[in-house]
Amino acid sequence: MRTFDIVVPVKAVDFDELSIQEQNLVEIARDATYRSYAPYSHFRVGAAILLENGEIVAGSNQENVAFPSGTCAERTACFYAHSQYPDVAFKAIAIAARGIDELPVASPVAPCGACRQSLLEYEMLAGHDVKVFLIGRKEIFTLPSIKSLLPLAFTEF
Ligand code: THU
């Protein structure tokens, strides 16, 4: 028998500690929360994906009266990005959210399991790590890769 721990490396940084390009990505994720369609949960999520060609593709959660038919912000963004730019690798993703009080969430929100699995596929396609920024009101959590969010992932690659 053997046991081991899997460590998730997270850095909590202030906005000012990010590069200009990273700050821009964070602002675009925050803006995307204002295009969320969330009449049922009133929880507005925005995701912005930086591509290797410098383009940034944003998405927001889109709910539906038939609840399972809605889509999270992260999947809206990654499916849209890859359908617009099928040959361009992802470089980073930033995720922001506003709660029912309309304010940015105090603590960063992390993607749900289904979104982690979907994002992982694009990280595998990229062939390199895709950096993650989880945006809270004050702090931003940075993680080096999607796989660090989904240890022991299902993958055929
Ligand atoms: N949501 C996201 O957009 N991303 C996640 O990773 C988890 C949850 C959305 C789905 C739903 O519209 C709302 O947040 C409340 O769960």
mmCIF file of all heavy atoms in Angstrom, residues 41 43 45 61 63 72-74 110-112 115, ligand 1:
data_model
loop_
_atom_site.group_PDB
_atom_site.id
_atom_site.type_symbol
_atom_site.label_atom_id
_atom_site.label_comp_id
_atom_site.label_asym_id
_atom_site.label_seq_id
_atom_site.Cartn_x
_atom_site.Cartn_y
_atom_site.Cartn_z
ATOM 1 N N SER A 41 -31.416 31.929 -10.612
ATOM 2 C CA SER A 41 -30.501 31.891 -9.463
ATOM 3 C C SER A 41 -30.079 33.297 -9.020
ATOM 4 O O SER A 41 -29.668 33.478 -7.880
ATOM 5 C CB SER A 41 -29.245 31.093 -9.817
ATOM 6 O OG SER A 41 -28.417 31.831 -10.700
ATOM 7 N N PHE A 43 -27.460 34.534 -9.703
ATOM 8 C CA PHE A 43 -26.017 34.410 -9.470
ATOM 9 C C PHE A 43 -25.347 34.564 -10.831
ATOM 10 O O PHE A 43 -25.577 33.761 -11.745
ATOM 11 C CB PHE A 43 -25.709 33.045 -8.837
ATOM 12 C CG PHE A 43 -24.308 32.934 -8.325
ATOM 13 C CD1 PHE A 43 -23.949 33.537 -7.128
ATOM 14 C CD2 PHE A 43 -23.341 32.236 -9.034
ATOM 15 C CE1 PHE A 43 -22.644 33.455 -6.649
ATOM 16 C CE2 PHE A 43 -22.041 32.145 -8.562
ATOM 17 C CZ PHE A 43 -21.694 32.755 -7.363
ATOM 18 N N VAL A 45 -22.259 34.847 -13.340
ATOM 19 C CA VAL A 45 -20.867 34.394 -13.500
ATOM 20 C C VAL A 45 -20.351 34.855 -14.864
ATOM 21 O O VAL A 45 -21.087 34.825 -15.860
ATOM 22 C CB VAL A 45 -20.777 32.847 -13.383
ATOM 23 C CG1 VAL A 45 -19.320 32.386 -13.397
ATOM 24 C CG2 VAL A 45 -21.472 32.358 -12.113
ATOM 25 N N ASN A 61 -22.992 32.854 -17.613
ATOM 26 C CA ASN A 61 -23.974 31.772 -17.440
ATOM 27 C C ASN A 61 -25.300 32.166 -18.075
ATOM 28 O O ASN A 61 -25.717 33.328 -18.012
ATOM 29 C CB ASN A 61 -24.128 31.373 -15.965
ATOM 30 C CG ASN A 61 -24.508 32.501 -15.035
ATOM 31 O OD1 ASN A 61 -24.091 33.633 -15.224
ATOM 32 N ND2 ASN A 61 -25.296 32.199 -14.015
ATOM 33 N N GLU A 63 -29.108 30.803 -18.159
ATOM 34 C CA GLU A 63 -30.053 29.867 -17.538
ATOM 35 C C GLU A 63 -31.263 29.642 -18.440
ATOM 36 O O GLU A 63 -31.462 30.339 -19.439
ATOM 37 C CB GLU A 63 -30.463 30.408 -16.158
ATOM 38 C CG GLU A 63 -29.249 30.503 -15.240
ATOM 39 C CD GLU A 63 -29.576 30.954 -13.823
ATOM 40 O OE1 GLU A 63 -30.725 31.386 -13.564
ATOM 41 O OE2 GLU A 63 -28.674 30.856 -12.980
ATOM 42 N N CYS A 72 -23.161 26.986 -17.717
ATOM 43 C CA CYS A 72 -22.276 27.806 -16.883
ATOM 44 C C CYS A 72 -21.455 28.752 -17.767
ATOM 45 O O CYS A 72 -21.226 28.491 -18.959
ATOM 46 C CB CYS A 72 -21.301 26.918 -16.120
ATOM 47 S SG CYS A 72 -22.049 25.855 -14.887
ATOM 48 N N ALA A 73 -20.950 29.797 -17.123
ATOM 49 C CA ALA A 73 -20.137 30.793 -17.830
ATOM 50 C C ALA A 73 -18.886 30.170 -18.456
ATOM 51 O O ALA A 73 -18.515 30.496 -19.597
ATOM 52 C CB ALA A 73 -19.725 31.882 -16.856
ATOM 53 N N GLU A 74 -18.241 29.290 -17.716
ATOM 54 C CA GLU A 74 -16.979 28.724 -18.191
ATOM 55 C C GLU A 74 -17.187 27.899 -19.457
ATOM 56 O O GLU A 74 -16.381 27.939 -20.384
ATOM 57 C CB GLU A 74 -16.352 27.824 -17.117
ATOM 58 C CG GLU A 74 -15.990 28.546 -15.831
ATOM 59 C CD GLU A 74 -17.132 28.612 -14.824
ATOM 60 O OE1 GLU A 74 -18.323 28.627 -15.233
ATOM 61 O OE2 GLU A 74 -16.838 28.661 -13.626
ATOM 62 N N ALA A 110 -14.963 28.972 -7.797
ATOM 63 C CA ALA A 110 -14.223 28.035 -8.653
ATOM 64 C C ALA A 110 -15.210 27.299 -9.564
ATOM 65 O O ALA A 110 -16.378 27.139 -9.206
ATOM 66 C CB ALA A 110 -13.460 27.045 -7.790
ATOM 67 N N PRO A 111 -14.762 26.872 -10.738
ATOM 68 C CA PRO A 111 -15.674 26.200 -11.674
ATOM 69 C C PRO A 111 -16.237 24.891 -11.121
ATOM 70 O O PRO A 111 -15.566 24.191 -10.355
ATOM 71 C CB PRO A 111 -14.808 25.906 -12.904
ATOM 72 C CG PRO A 111 -13.486 26.499 -12.665
ATOM 73 C CD PRO A 111 -13.397 26.987 -11.264
ATOM 74 N N CYS A 112 -17.447 24.578 -11.525
ATOM 75 C CA CYS A 112 -18.073 23.311 -11.126
ATOM 76 C C CYS A 112 -17.328 22.138 -11.789
ATOM 77 O O CYS A 112 -16.496 22.333 -12.686
ATOM 78 C CB CYS A 112 -19.555 23.308 -11.520
ATOM 79 S SG CYS A 112 -19.842 23.068 -13.273
ATOM 80 N N CYS A 115 -17.551 21.878 -15.632
ATOM 81 C CA CYS A 115 -16.736 22.895 -16.313
ATOM 82 C C CYS A 115 -15.248 22.540 -16.224
ATOM 83 O O CYS A 115 -14.496 22.749 -17.172
ATOM 84 C CB CYS A 115 -16.995 24.273 -15.719
ATOM 85 S SG CYS A 115 -18.604 24.931 -16.174
HETATM 86 N N1 THU B 1 -22.492 28.573 -12.571
HETATM 87 C C1 THU B 1 -21.510 28.939 -13.438
HETATM 88 O O1 THU B 1 -21.717 29.753 -14.341
HETATM 89 N N2 THU B 1 -20.286 28.378 -13.274
HETATM 90 C C2 THU B 1 -19.983 27.416 -12.359
HETATM 91 O O2 THU B 1 -18.886 26.898 -12.353
HETATM 92 C C3 THU B 1 -20.977 27.010 -11.378
HETATM 93 C C4 THU B 1 -22.296 27.661 -11.465
HETATM 94 C C5 THU B 1 -23.824 29.145 -12.753
HETATM 95 C C6 THU B 1 -24.889 28.124 -13.083
HETATM 96 C C7 THU B 1 -26.139 28.840 -12.622
HETATM 97 O O3 THU B 1 -26.592 29.674 -13.674
HETATM 98 C C8 THU B 1 -25.653 29.719 -11.484
HETATM 99 O O4 THU B 1 -24.245 29.779 -11.577
HETATM 100 C C9 THU B 1 -26.058 29.227 -10.112
HETATM 101 O O5 THU B 1 -25.645 27.940 -9.894
#
